[in-house]
Amino acid sequence: MKFYYALYLLLFSTFNLQAQKEIKYVSPPTVMGDNYKVEILDIVADKDECKLKLKVKNTGEDYLRFNFSKVGFEYAGFGTYYPSKGKDIIIEPGKMVSKVIRIEGAKSRMVNSFTLKLEGLRSASVPQYASAMNNLMFSVGSASEVASNEFKVTISEVKEKKGTVTTSAEVNYLGGADNIGLVDLTKVTVLDANGVSVEQKISPQKLKVLETGETAKISLSITNPSKSYQLQWGDTYHHLTLVDVVVDPVIVWAEGTSRSSNVVTNKTTVMNNTTPAANNTTPAANNTTPVASNTTQGDLQYCPIYTGAGDGGHIKVRFFNTEGKCFKLVANGVLLVPDYSSSAVVNLTGGKKHLEFHFPDGTVYKDKITPDGINWEAASYRLKQKKNGDYNLVLNIGSVQATPESQARLDQQMAKMEADRKAREAESDAAWEKQKAESAARLEKMRSESAFDDNSSPTNSSSNSISSGSTNSSSSNTGSFSSSSGSQKVRLRVMTAGSPVAGCEVTIKIKGVTIGRGKTNSSGYADIYTNDLISRSIDVYGEKEGNNWHLEGLITLDENLYAEIDPAQALKLINNKIEQLENLGF
């Protein structure tokens, strides 16, 4: 009698649905994976069609491609129906696409429930290295082409007008059905005939994502005329390979209908495949209690702590959340936390784990972790719900405990690092002491070889010495300076015919030993810092644009270590002295 009563209810419900003009369905929970999120909204069916809005968001760093023609509507006893139209759409990281999906001609479309199959999702990671491509050579008035295994670039005729070179090019992607290509023109460098980078304007200045056979157009403008050019690609091109992403089917229910035990049975089957098949034969009329229990579980908060053996590993891992959300946990297809808990501790082996957190409202959150099986003894992860409803699993900072063996290795490494640091410091100190000793010996040699107390003092300087500055050089009673007093700044000003000389490389020496270098600014000044100025009598060497000059034994700094130099005037003075000596018969 119960069987006939249940059959009557089923037939009455079906006829009642068919008599309605349309049926609205409840939007199922958001489907989330490692790098995607799928929302199913605005689901409605009438006598002509069933339609819904599908939103697919890329939440990771990989590129996704979704084929909307592979969204299947499966009706029990009738098969699976697919849209008559649809195409692949690439979804870049952080982007979302939305599309209305509809099927027509399904006699069973006005039903209590159906299953939605999301079979068209694929994913591609960006490889670490760019695709290799030879430089593209081109010149004014010609066209050229270059190709790799994945890309081909064709450049049209190059034109020049009023000193500006312009051209356009096409990049064709040659990948296969399982590939997509990335073109980033911001990585392109233009070289002239000498291999020197030149300024250019290239567009578009944004990343282009290409399907196989698609083309990206390039515009190029160069303002540096040259006999020829070449395009250097660098990291412009990337060739990505797509792999299928398996998304679990989603059951969709009509508004106002009671969800049968199939929901609970399906979830139980996913999380525990050992449930005996005989348990699924319970008559539908007896399932009212489990359904009510499931509805109550949707509001579970702060469930008891669970402790289990996990997968038998030695790493004690805790999963928890501070919001009191209750969950069951599956790792690599094995049910580890069978009872709802807000804080679960399980033992795990090392290596990658594909996790599924099942919540009482039917939401499933997927993530991956990789415990260190060699160095970890314990760790904890926090499961946090974000404002938008998504979840995030984060390793709790400071929770990782090292194994005794790992801690011993770490202590040994730290000890070795400390010993290496001390050895490097000792080596550096020894090198510094050696350098100081060599510098002191060199300075002592310079002092012994220079008769600065007789020849270098400004009071005894020869009549052909040039001393310039605001201070009278004879006011100083010594021409030597101790290097132990620290860095000393020598300021020279290079002039010619009363005008400053800019950009002149200046070197100062004493007894043939270089003690400093500098370069004159726009006012002709060069500031030279040195620790080796043992005399104010210096030799000055200059060079600018291939023109060299030197003044030896002619320059004496004033007490402010300053001198103004006019090389042409100094050479003229020397020539006059030579002429005077020749007139005297020398």
Side-chain angles (χ1 to χ4, degrees):
M1 184 65 182
K2 289 182 179 180
F3 171 75
Y4 290 108
Y5 178 69
L7 180 62
Y8 167 75
L9 289 178
L10 177 62
L11 292 173
F12 178 79
S13 175
T14 302
F15 287 133
N16 185 49
L17 289 170
Q18 294 291 347
Q20 298 180 40
K21 292 184 178 181
E22 69 173 21
I23 299 175
K24 293 184 178 180
Y25 295 85
V26 178
S27 296
T30 300
V31 181
M32 293 182 289
D34 295 337
N35 56 0
Y36 67 87
K37 181 175 73 173
V38 180
E39 295 181 85
I40 307 167
L41 309 169
D42 303 334
I43 315 168
V44 63
D46 58 24
K47 64 183 183 65
D48 296 319
E49 66 178 9
C50 180
K51 64 179 181 179
L52 54 85
K53 178 184 288 186
L54 202 65
K55 291 184 176 181
V56 183
K57 183 175 182 180
N58 188 339
T59 59
E61 298 180 353
D62 296 340
Y63 283 77
L64 302 180
R65 188 169 76 181
F66 196 87
N67 189 336
F68 286 92
S69 67
K70 293 185 178 181
V71 178
F73 293 68
E74 182 181 29
Y75 296 92
F78 292 91
T80 304
Y81 296 81
Y82 294 89
S84 58
K85 297 180 180 179
K87 66 176 184 178
D88 290 334
I89 296 180
I90 295 177
I91 310 173
E92 299 179 28
K95 301 294 185 181
M96 181 184 69
V97 296
S98 176
K99 188 174 178 61
V100 175
I101 309 294
R102 52 170 48 89
I103 59 167
E104 301 173 353
K107 295 180 180 179
S108 58
R109 60 183 158 266
M110 296 182 67
V111 295
N112 196 357
S113 68
F114 64 90
T115 300
L116 195 68
K117 296 182 176 181
L118 306 172
E119 302 172 346
L121 186 62
R122 309 191 79 190
S123 175
S125 300
V126 179
Q128 180 180 0
Y129 299 104
S131 297
M133 172 83 82
N134 292 331
N135 290 0
L136 176 58
M137 313 293 294
F138 65 97
S139 58
V140 175
S142 64
S144 57
E145 180 180 286
V146 68
S148 66
N149 292 332
E150 298 91 15
F151 297 89
K152 182 176 73 172
V153 185
T154 304
I155 195 165
S156 59
E157 183 179 0
V158 184
K159 300 178 181 180
E160 180 179 1
K161 184 177 181 180
K162 295 182 179 180
T164 300
V165 176
T166 59
T167 188
S168 60
E170 289 187 350
V171 179
N172 184 254
Y173 181 53
L174 309 176
D178 296 328
N179 305 108
I180 58 177
L182 304 182
V183 181
D184 186 359
L185 297 178
T186 62
K187 306 297 185 182
V188 177
T189 303
V190 180
L191 307 178
D192 63 13
N194 297 319
V196 178
S197 175
V198 298
E199 293 186 7
Q200 44 79 16
K201 292 182 179 180
I202 189 168
S203 62
Q205 287 287 300
K206 64 178 182 179
L207 185 71
K208 298 288 290 185
V209 184
L210 302 179
E211 292 270 24
T212 299
E214 289 185 338
T215 297
K217 296 185 180 296
I218 303 174
S219 296
L220 177 63
S221 176
I222 308 170
T223 56
N224 299 71
S226 177
K227 293 181 179 180
S228 62
Y229 303 91
Q230 54 180 312
L231 297 181
Q232 190 176 59
W233 302 113
D235 294 336
T236 298
Y237 302 107
H238 282 89
H239 174 67
L240 284 62
T241 300
L242 292 158
V243 295
D244 293 331
V245 178
V246 178
V247 182
D248 294 334
V250 179
I251 300 177
V252 180
W253 294 91
E255 291 182 351
T257 59
S258 298
R259 302 183 182 184
S260 72
S261 62
N262 289 337
V263 180
V264 178
T265 302
N266 182 57
K267 290 171 62 179
T268 304
T269 302
V270 170
M271 293 190 288
N272 188 355
N273 293 327
T274 61
T275 304
N279 292 343
N280 296 329
T281 60
T282 306
N286 293 336
N287 289 331
T288 54
T289 300
V291 170
S293 177
N294 184 56
T295 303
T296 303
Q297 286 179 343
D299 299 325
L300 287 178
Q301 292 282 329
Y302 296 102
C303 295
I305 296 175
Y306 175 86
T307 302
D311 63 5
H314 71 277
I315 309 173
K316 190 176 294 296
V317 181
R318 178 187 177 217
F319 299 94
F320 73 98
N321 72 88
T322 57
E323 293 81 17
K325 296 291 183 181
C326 301
F327 58 85
K328 296 181 180 180
L329 177 61
V330 175
N332 292 348
V334 178
L335 181 63
L336 299 186
V337 182
D339 302 323
Y340 283 114
S341 173
S342 300
S343 178
V345 180
V346 294
N347 289 349
L348 296 180
T349 56
K352 182 175 290 187
K353 310 293 180 186
H354 294 269
L355 305 180
E356 295 180 6
F357 292 87
H358 292 254
F359 300 94
D361 62 358
T363 301
V364 178
Y365 169 68
K366 298 180 181 181
D367 209 330
K368 292 180 292 188
I369 63 172
T370 307
D372 188 338
I374 298 177
N375 298 310
W376 287 15
E377 187 171 69
S380 64
Y381 290 86
R382 180 185 178 187
L383 182 66
K384 183 178 181 181
Q385 188 173 22
K386 297 184 286 188
K387 292 182 179 179
N388 62 0
D390 293 345
Y391 287 88
N392 194 20
L393 186 65
V394 181
L395 179 64
N396 199 29
I397 297 176
S399 68
V400 176
Q401 298 179 17
T403 62
E405 297 81 3
S406 175
Q407 187 62 49
R409 288 195 300 271
L410 181 61
D411 292 342
Q412 291 176 0
Q413 291 175 356
M414 295 299 294
K416 184 177 184 302
M417 290 173 60
E418 180 65 16
D420 291 344
R421 182 187 65 80
K422 290 182 178 180
R424 288 194 301 270
E425 286 184 353
E427 183 178 353
S428 177
D429 291 343
W432 172 242
E433 292 297 332
K434 180 180 179 181
Q435 183 178 354
K436 287 197 300 183
E438 291 175 349
S439 178
R442 180 165 56 90
L443 290 174
E444 184 61 30
K445 180 179 180 182
M446 291 171 60
R447 288 191 180 97
S448 63
E449 292 178 351
S450 62
F452 58 86
D453 54 340
D454 296 326
N455 302 325
S456 300
S457 174
T459 56
N460 297 324
S461 59
S462 60
S463 60
N464 64 344
S465 294
I466 301 175
S467 176
S468 302
S470 57
T471 305
N472 191 335
S473 60
S474 62
S475 62
S476 176
N477 58 5
T478 178
S480 64
F481 297 86
S482 172
S483 61
S484 62
S485 61
S487 296
Q488 298 161 298
K489 183 177 75 173
V490 175
R491 167 164 286 193
L492 302 178
R493 191 181 193 191
V494 182
M495 307 286 289
T496 180
S499 299
V501 178
C504 182
E505 300 285 350
V506 179
T507 301
I508 57 176
K509 298 182 180 182
I510 295 179
K511 295 292 183 177
V513 178
T514 299
I515 63 171
R517 292 186 176 90
K519 188 174 183 179
T520 59
N521 60 18
S522 59
S523 299
Y525 291 101
D527 289 339
I528 302 172
Y529 292 86
T530 179
N531 283 327
D532 297 335
L533 189 66
I534 63 171
S535 170
R536 291 208 303 263
S537 294
I538 60 175
D539 301 329
V540 182
Y541 298 75
E543 189 274 331
K544 180 180 179 182
E545 298 177 352
N547 297 318
N548 300 287
W549 52 267
H550 62 275
L551 301 176
E552 298 177 354
L554 298 176
I555 307 302
T556 300
L557 302 172
D558 66 11
E559 62 183 7
N560 296 315
L561 307 184
Y562 172 80
E564 186 173 295
I565 304 169
D566 187 333
Q569 185 66 27
L571 294 175
K572 183 178 180 181
L573 175 62
I574 294 174
N575 291 333
N576 289 339
K577 290 292 184 180
I578 294 174
E579 185 177 352
Q580 291 177 8
L581 291 173
E582 290 177 346
N583 291 334
L584 292 174
F586 289 94

